[in-house]
Amino acid sequence: MHEPLMKILKMSKNFGPTKALKSVDVSFYNGEIRGLVGENGSGKSTITSIISGMQRQSDGKMYFRNALWQPQSMAEAQKFGIGMVLQEASTIKNVTVAENIYAGNFDLFTKFGILDKNKMNRAASELLKKLGINHINATDMINKYNYEDCKLIEIARCMRDDLEILILDETTTAISHEGRDLVYKIMQRFKQEGKSVIFISHDINEIISQCTHLSVLRDGQIVGHLEPEDMHKNDVVQRIRTLMVGRDIGDEYYRKDYDYSCSPDVALEFNNVSVGDLKRISFQLHKGEILGFGGLNGSGMHIIARAAFGLETPDEGEVLRHGQIVKNPHDAITKDIGFISKNRDEEAVVLKASILENIVLPSLSQLKKFGFVNPLKEKKISKKEMNFYSIKARNVSQIVNTLSGGNKQKVSFAKWTSRNSEVIIMVCPTRGVDVGVKQSMYKLMYQMKKQGKSILMISEELPELIGMSDRIIIMKNNEITKEFYRSEQLSEQDIIQYMI
Ligand SMILES: Nc1ncnc2c1ncn2[C@@H]1O[C@H](COP(=O)(O)OP(=O)(O)OP(=O)(O)O)[C@@H](O)[C@H]1O
């Protein structure tokens, strides 16, 4: 067998008392796409962040092209041909797409101290075209682009001619089918060129269809590797799940009933709302209803979520709760509306605050008595949520920034469920959570519906929309194109034709 491109031997990583990695051995070869899977907090991002120079291991060694590998920074790793797209959004605001792509590499276009912007813009345009990203303009300001486009721009940023290892950390989560297909094409081409891809995802079907090899982590240890011949066996999904969790958790994710009835009472109403490119949108979300929204990138469904929470002010029309206008996020919270954003680090959690502070934040006004909040009560509430969601952390005082991505998502969910919000707007609610937690989140959503709460779920995942919604509204080009009611017969194909 040929030599690995990157070899990791007995790698350990401790964060204080947390042992994130325990003597991990894993190798990455040319011409392979190796998936890394494991439950939230099992150590996937820790491995890739060490390979890519973001942090140092506590113990163990790495060899890159047979030489000892000890990168001091991400910039150094990139210079040597290792590029990583981080789990959270990491583009730089208020500069152009081209400037984002070549951030830190302006010297490529600088002569006698002067940056040749035209040359840089041309290079960025060519690169985007080469990657098949035709809808993004290199000279545009980055702020114009949404989460999904920014992920594609982040991939372009990694793509130097001499790139040898491309690391994608949950890059395909929370992006549309179109976007995902583009990422798959880039990965497959990269592999065909004899390079190496490390691919992290919680979507086992995606892993099976895209990866040539797989390594499974549990509690900071490698518990199994799958070779190409294992990847297409009938029991591969069960095998992966059993390795990850220690038992087969089955695949009964979604609610089983097909009863879409709910109260006639309206919990939230869009009345001829126009905002940005979105024109005259009207719909009602009922008490006890799970209303799903589906569409491609740029269909307008994400603006609906933002407007529903008062993050966007309509140019025309109004968003109403019990007949009153939802003016802004603060007003939305007082009206018992919660919002789980997919832009986790920027909008969903306060990174520098603890789990406890994040969880109780929207509930402070409810918890206050004579102007004070009882710390014991805060602790009790946050501990209960931490247990319910199995948030992997030392205790409720741990700072959210130090949690794994999926565990941050659980905190984002817990904020609103602990407040007992009556209406929750969920954008990609299961983004980055592992299969076990996904099951519990869906169960919770169903319980909430049964308790008369209302959920507006914006999702890129058709199975999730079909599996959980009472009603699904499909959007295309900022307009509503179709509405479906829950039914056993409803298929992805039925829906897709109204999205494209
Ligand atoms: N800076 C840090 N300080 C303290 N603990 C940390 C830090 N970074 C990571 N950890 C811990 O290390 C463990 C592994 O985290 P890691 O991000 O590698 O998990 P993951 O497998 O990528 O999870 P996910 O699927 O949720 O993204 C977790 O328990 C996490 O809380």
Side-chain angles (χ1 to χ4, degrees), residues 275-276 302-314 319 326-327 329:
V275 45
H302 290 289
I303 307 176
I304 290 198
R306 298 176 64 78
F309 191 60
L311 280 160
E312 302 276 346
T313 310
V319 177
V326 177
K327 297 183 209 124

Short mmCIF file of all heavy atoms in Angstrom, two decimals, residues 275-276 302-314 319 326-327 329:
data_model
loop_
_atom_site.label_atom_id
_atom_site.label_comp_id
_atom_site.label_asym_id
_atom_site.label_seq_id
_atom_site.Cartn_x
_atom_site.Cartn_y
_atom_site.Cartn_z
N VAL A 275 -40.64 42.65 1.68
CA VAL A 275 -39.38 43.06 2.31
C VAL A 275 -38.25 42.62 1.38
O VAL A 275 -38.19 41.47 0.97
CB VAL A 275 -39.25 42.51 3.77
CG1 VAL A 275 -39.63 41.07 3.89
CG2 VAL A 275 -37.86 42.73 4.33
N GLY A 276 -37.39 43.58 1.01
CA GLY A 276 -36.36 43.29 0.01
C GLY A 276 -37.03 42.82 -1.27
O GLY A 276 -37.98 43.44 -1.75
N HIS A 302 -35.59 32.35 3.79
CA HIS A 302 -34.83 32.78 4.96
C HIS A 302 -35.23 34.19 5.40
O HIS A 302 -35.20 34.52 6.59
CB HIS A 302 -33.33 32.71 4.68
CG HIS A 302 -32.86 31.28 4.59
ND1 HIS A 302 -32.77 30.46 5.68
CD2 HIS A 302 -32.52 30.52 3.53
CE1 HIS A 302 -32.38 29.26 5.31
NE2 HIS A 302 -32.22 29.27 4.01
N ILE A 303 -35.63 35.02 4.45
CA ILE A 303 -36.06 36.39 4.82
C ILE A 303 -37.38 36.30 5.59
O ILE A 303 -37.64 37.09 6.50
CB ILE A 303 -36.21 37.29 3.57
CG1 ILE A 303 -34.92 37.24 2.76
CG2 ILE A 303 -36.53 38.72 3.96
CD1 ILE A 303 -34.97 37.98 1.47
N ILE A 304 -38.20 35.32 5.23
CA ILE A 304 -39.46 35.13 5.95
C ILE A 304 -39.17 34.87 7.43
O ILE A 304 -39.79 35.45 8.32
CB ILE A 304 -40.26 33.97 5.33
CG1 ILE A 304 -40.75 34.45 3.97
CG2 ILE A 304 -41.39 33.48 6.26
CD1 ILE A 304 -41.85 33.71 3.36
N ALA A 305 -38.19 34.00 7.68
CA ALA A 305 -37.84 33.69 9.07
C ALA A 305 -37.40 34.95 9.81
O ALA A 305 -37.81 35.22 10.94
CB ALA A 305 -36.73 32.64 9.11
N ARG A 306 -36.57 35.74 9.16
CA ARG A 306 -36.04 36.94 9.80
C ARG A 306 -37.16 37.96 10.06
O ARG A 306 -37.21 38.59 11.11
CB ARG A 306 -34.93 37.56 8.96
CG ARG A 306 -33.72 36.61 8.80
CD ARG A 306 -32.66 37.20 7.89
NE ARG A 306 -32.09 38.41 8.45
CZ ARG A 306 -31.19 38.42 9.42
NH1 ARG A 306 -30.72 37.30 9.91
NH2 ARG A 306 -30.73 39.57 9.91
N ALA A 307 -38.04 38.10 9.07
CA ALA A 307 -39.15 39.06 9.23
C ALA A 307 -40.09 38.59 10.35
O ALA A 307 -40.63 39.40 11.10
CB ALA A 307 -39.91 39.20 7.92
N ALA A 308 -40.26 37.28 10.47
CA ALA A 308 -41.18 36.75 11.49
C ALA A 308 -40.68 37.08 12.90
O ALA A 308 -41.47 37.20 13.83
CB ALA A 308 -41.32 35.24 11.32
N PHE A 309 -39.37 37.26 13.06
CA PHE A 309 -38.80 37.57 14.37
C PHE A 309 -38.48 39.06 14.51
O PHE A 309 -37.86 39.48 15.47
CB PHE A 309 -37.53 36.72 14.57
CG PHE A 309 -37.00 36.74 15.99
CD1 PHE A 309 -37.78 36.28 17.04
CD2 PHE A 309 -35.72 37.19 16.27
CE1 PHE A 309 -37.29 36.29 18.35
CE2 PHE A 309 -35.22 37.20 17.57
CZ PHE A 309 -36.01 36.74 18.61
N GLY A 310 -38.87 39.85 13.52
CA GLY A 310 -38.63 41.29 13.60
C GLY A 310 -37.21 41.70 13.27
O GLY A 310 -36.80 42.82 13.55
N LEU A 311 -36.44 40.78 12.67
CA LEU A 311 -35.07 41.14 12.29
C LEU A 311 -35.06 41.92 10.98
O LEU A 311 -34.06 42.53 10.62
CB LEU A 311 -34.22 39.87 12.14
CG LEU A 311 -33.70 39.25 13.42
CD1 LEU A 311 -33.31 37.80 13.21
CD2 LEU A 311 -32.51 40.03 13.96
N GLU A 312 -36.14 41.84 10.22
CA GLU A 312 -36.29 42.63 8.99
C GLU A 312 -37.61 43.39 9.15
O GLU A 312 -38.60 42.81 9.58
CB GLU A 312 -36.42 41.74 7.75
CG GLU A 312 -35.26 40.79 7.52
CD GLU A 312 -34.11 41.43 6.80
OE1 GLU A 312 -34.29 42.54 6.23
OE2 GLU A 312 -33.02 40.83 6.81
N THR A 313 -37.59 44.66 8.77
CA THR A 313 -38.83 45.44 8.85
C THR A 313 -39.48 45.45 7.47
O THR A 313 -38.85 45.85 6.49
CB THR A 313 -38.52 46.89 9.27
OG1 THR A 313 -37.69 46.81 10.41
CG2 THR A 313 -39.77 47.67 9.58
N PRO A 314 -40.72 45.03 7.36
CA PRO A 314 -41.37 45.00 6.05
C PRO A 314 -41.45 46.41 5.42
O PRO A 314 -41.68 47.39 6.12
CB PRO A 314 -42.78 44.48 6.36
CG PRO A 314 -42.65 43.76 7.64
CD PRO A 314 -41.57 44.45 8.40
N VAL A 319 -46.26 41.87 9.89
CA VAL A 319 -46.20 40.57 10.56
C VAL A 319 -46.95 40.76 11.88
O VAL A 319 -46.62 41.65 12.66
CB VAL A 319 -44.74 40.16 10.83
CG1 VAL A 319 -44.69 38.83 11.59
CG2 VAL A 319 -43.96 40.06 9.53
N VAL A 326 -45.32 42.80 14.94
CA VAL A 326 -44.04 42.39 15.55
C VAL A 326 -43.00 43.41 15.08
O VAL A 326 -42.64 43.45 13.91
CB VAL A 326 -43.64 40.97 15.09
CG1 VAL A 326 -42.29 40.57 15.66
CG2 VAL A 326 -44.71 39.96 15.45
N LYS A 327 -42.55 44.26 16.02
CA LYS A 327 -41.75 45.42 15.59
C LYS A 327 -40.26 45.11 15.46
O LYS A 327 -39.59 45.60 14.57
CB LYS A 327 -41.92 46.56 16.62
CG LYS A 327 -43.36 47.06 16.70
CD LYS A 327 -43.44 48.23 17.67
CE LYS A 327 -44.81 48.27 18.31
NZ LYS A 327 -44.82 48.25 19.75
N PRO A 329 -36.84 42.28 17.30
CA PRO A 329 -36.62 41.05 18.05
C PRO A 329 -37.04 41.15 19.52
O PRO A 329 -37.61 40.23 20.08
CB PRO A 329 -35.12 40.81 17.93
CG PRO A 329 -34.75 41.47 16.65
CD PRO A 329 -35.63 42.67 16.54
#
